[in-house]
């Protein structure tokens, strides 16, 4: 069959809306997706059988070397919420605080918090049919509740742009308001150090940490950035703030989050380093600041990121060793530098 015919045939077979409610973009490569997914489906089926055996008879998921190995190879959608809740500590928090989420929703009104959240509602996943006002049920109300409760729970953070995308994904996976709240708490309160506070010191620190890791592991890219005076925040801030939501394909983001909930924030650096290393030659072709910014947008597209299983194997091999000790040490020096700059 001619490529055009094959593409049309694939377009006829593959639903225009993905399993999570997102409309596929206009330039979506249906033929490539179908070809990849036919092999990925075999892997998913095999993993699902193994996960069912692992979880049989146990009420919660505890961290272990086996669980870590299984998670790196992907969590089947039907087990994802339960696994995330278990390994992140969110389930334990929820069990220790019965009724707390609902009490937060009935708490004192905060007009500025409510207004900030409401402003972002229509901007959250306009390409997802489940978040449209016409949807029944419309997930905007659920999203509003989760963000409002979190703003009351963590008043030092309140609400920050970017949290809407993260909470939105949590709702799509858990289909449960209270679980989404506790997973958001695990991310914002424990896994991502100080990303969303007003000063965003943790976020700024981690962008600098990435810069230092690139300087060590990919010095030519660091030299290019320095030569053009490009700050890392200019090209990667959304990677960190949105945890790759709306940047990488949905399935790839979910596979990254599987590991993020279990292994912590170093996973973000593994993903970022893999994207940069894989496309190093392409990035090094840049001749201006605008060119560099454009290339950093381009490297988050294409088959390398959409073939999520291979991509996840790469994030654990490409960047080489990356311990939490190394990251903690770099965070300390980068934070001190930022504070000294005022």
């Amino acid at each position: 069959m001619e490529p055009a015919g094959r593409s049309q045939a694939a377009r006829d077979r593959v639903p225009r809306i993905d399993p999570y409610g997102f409309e596929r973009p206009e330039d979506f490569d249906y033929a490539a997706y179908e070809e990849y997914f036919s092999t990925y489906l075999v892997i998913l089926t095999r993993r699902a059988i193994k996960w069912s055996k692992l979880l049989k008879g146990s009420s919660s998921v505890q961290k272990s070397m086996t669980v870590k190995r299984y998670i790196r190879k992907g969590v089947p959608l039907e087990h994802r919420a339960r696994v995330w809740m278990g390994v992140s500590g969110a389930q334990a928090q929820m069990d220790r605080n019965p009724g707390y989420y609902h009490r937060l929703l009935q708490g004192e009104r905060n007009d500025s918090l409510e207004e900030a959240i409401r402003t972002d509602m229509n901007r959250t996943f306009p390409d997802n049919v489940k978040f449209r006002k016409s949807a029944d049920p419309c997930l905007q109300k659920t999203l509003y509740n989760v963000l409002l409760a979190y703003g009351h729970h963590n008043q030092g953070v309140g609400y920050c742009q970017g949290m809407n995308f993260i909470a939105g994904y949590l709702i799509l996976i858990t289909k449960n308001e209270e679980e989404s709240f506790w997973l958001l708490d695990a991310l914002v309160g424990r896994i991502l150090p100080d990303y969303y506070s007003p000063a965003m010191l943790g976020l700024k620190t981690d962008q600098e940490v990435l810069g230092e890791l690139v300087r060590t592991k990919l010095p030519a890219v660091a030299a290019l950035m320095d030569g053009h005076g490009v700050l890392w925040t200019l090209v990667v801030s959304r990677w960190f703030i949105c945890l790759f939501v709306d940047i990488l394909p949905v399935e790839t983001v979910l596979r990254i989050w599987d590991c993020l909930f279990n292994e912590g924030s170093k996973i973000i650096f593994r993903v970022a380093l893999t994207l940069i290393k894989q496309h190093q030659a392409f990035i090094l072709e840049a001749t201006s600041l605008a060119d560099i910014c454009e290339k950093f947008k381009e490297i988050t597209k294409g088959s390398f990121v959409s073939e999520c299983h291979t991509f996840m194997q790469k994030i654990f091999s490409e960047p080489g060793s990356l311990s939490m000790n190394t990251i903690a040490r770099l965070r300390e020096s980068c934070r001190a530098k930022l504070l000294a700059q005022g």
Side-chain angles (χ1 to χ4, degrees):
M1 196 187 284
E2 290 295 307
R6 198 164 62 242
S7 176
Q8 188 54 51
R11 189 181 279 266
D12 293 340
R13 283 189 297 266
V14 175
R16 199 176 56 81
I17 292 166
D18 77 10
Y20 309 99
F22 290 98
E23 290 179 325
R24 302 197 192 275
E26 282 303 313
D27 59 354
F28 187 76
D29 189 335
Y30 285 86
Y33 171 82
E34 192 175 48
E35 189 180 337
Y36 172 69
F37 204 77
S38 62
T39 57
Y40 187 45
L41 204 55
V42 177
I43 297 166
L44 284 178
T45 307
R46 198 166 59 233
R47 300 310 314 159
I49 293 164
K50 288 188 177 251
W51 272 102
S52 294
K53 280 183 187 164
L54 181 76
L55 297 174
K56 202 174 179 185
S58 75
S59 57
S60 67
V61 186
Q62 304 293 332
K63 287 188 178 191
S64 71
M65 286 313 288
T66 304
V67 166
K68 180 180 178 178
R69 196 173 72 247
Y70 272 43
I71 286 175
R72 284 187 173 191
K73 291 179 180 178
V75 182
L77 183 56
E78 66 266 30
H79 300 308
R80 200 163 247 144
R82 184 176 162 194
V83 171
W84 287 3
M85 289 292 288
V87 296
S88 67
Q91 186 66 53
Q93 286 291 96
M94 189 166 104
D95 293 345
R96 275 198 292 270
N97 296 282
Y100 176 68
Y101 173 71
H102 297 287
R103 287 198 298 278
L104 287 171
L105 287 177
Q106 289 150 13
E108 211 174 305
R109 295 285 302 267
N110 179 332
D111 291 343
S112 62
L113 175 67
E114 290 174 27
E115 184 52 36
I117 295 168
R118 209 173 281 118
T119 302
D120 272 358
M121 280 299 105
N122 287 332
R123 298 182 199 155
T124 310
F125 306 136
D127 58 340
N128 190 303
V129 295
K130 298 180 183 185
F131 282 90
R132 295 210 176 124
K133 286 210 168 82
S134 55
D136 183 24
C138 169
L139 290 183
Q140 280 196 16
K141 178 62 181 158
T142 310
L143 178 63
Y144 177 82
N145 285 349
V146 170
L147 293 170
L148 183 66
Y150 194 77
H152 286 308
H153 164 70
N154 186 343
Q155 292 177 14
V157 168
Y159 170 70
C160 171
Q161 278 188 340
M163 285 165 61
N164 52 325
F165 291 112
I166 291 167
Y169 259 47
L170 295 173
I171 290 162
L172 287 170
I173 295 305
T174 62
K175 301 179 174 64
N176 181 301
E177 226 174 271
E178 192 174 4
E179 288 182 2
S180 297
F181 165 80
W182 287 111
L183 284 169
L184 186 64
D185 180 52
L187 281 171
V188 177
R190 296 192 295 282
I191 295 171
L192 309 171
D194 197 21
Y195 274 24
Y196 303 98
S197 64
M200 289 184 155
L201 183 60
L203 175 75
K204 291 171 186 167
T205 300
D206 276 4
Q207 289 170 174
E208 294 305 313
V209 169
L210 177 63
E212 291 304 314
L213 290 168
V214 171
R215 198 174 301 285
T216 310
K217 293 173 182 285
L218 303 161
V221 175
L224 176 79
M225 300 285 282
D226 292 344
H228 289 280
V230 182
L231 299 173
W232 280 100
T233 184
L234 205 57
V235 290
V236 300
S237 63
R238 283 189 68 239
W239 294 7
F240 286 88
I241 292 172
C242 299
L243 301 178
F244 302 102
V245 171
D246 257 14
I247 292 153
L248 296 178
V250 183
E251 201 62 50
T252 307
V253 174
L254 295 173
R255 288 289 302 268
I256 292 166
W257 284 22
D258 289 344
C259 298
L260 180 66
F261 278 117
N262 188 49
E263 298 183 50
S265 53
K266 71 175 177 185
I267 296 298
I268 302 170
F269 297 108
R270 284 200 166 278
V271 174
L273 286 168
T274 303
L275 285 169
I276 297 165
K277 185 175 180 183
Q278 177 70 22
H279 300 94
Q280 180 171 217
F282 175 68
I283 293 166
L284 292 175
E285 290 169 7
T287 54
S288 67
L289 187 147
D291 211 3
I292 292 170
C293 293
E294 191 49 45
K295 288 199 180 318
F296 267 84
K297 278 192 195 130
E298 285 299 313
I299 67 173
T300 60
K301 297 171 186 162
S303 62
F304 180 65
V305 293
S306 58
E307 295 180 2
C308 58
H309 197 65
T310 335
F311 180 78
M312 292 307 290
Q313 289 169 335
K314 290 267 188 192
I315 78 164
F316 292 109
S317 61
E318 288 300 304
S321 73
L322 189 62
S323 69
M324 270 319 275
N325 281 345
T326 303
I327 288 167
R329 200 174 62 247
L330 286 171
R331 275 177 173 157
E332 212 173 304
S333 60
C334 290
R335 184 178 282 119
K337 219 178 291 178
L338 283 165
L339 288 170
Q341 288 166 8

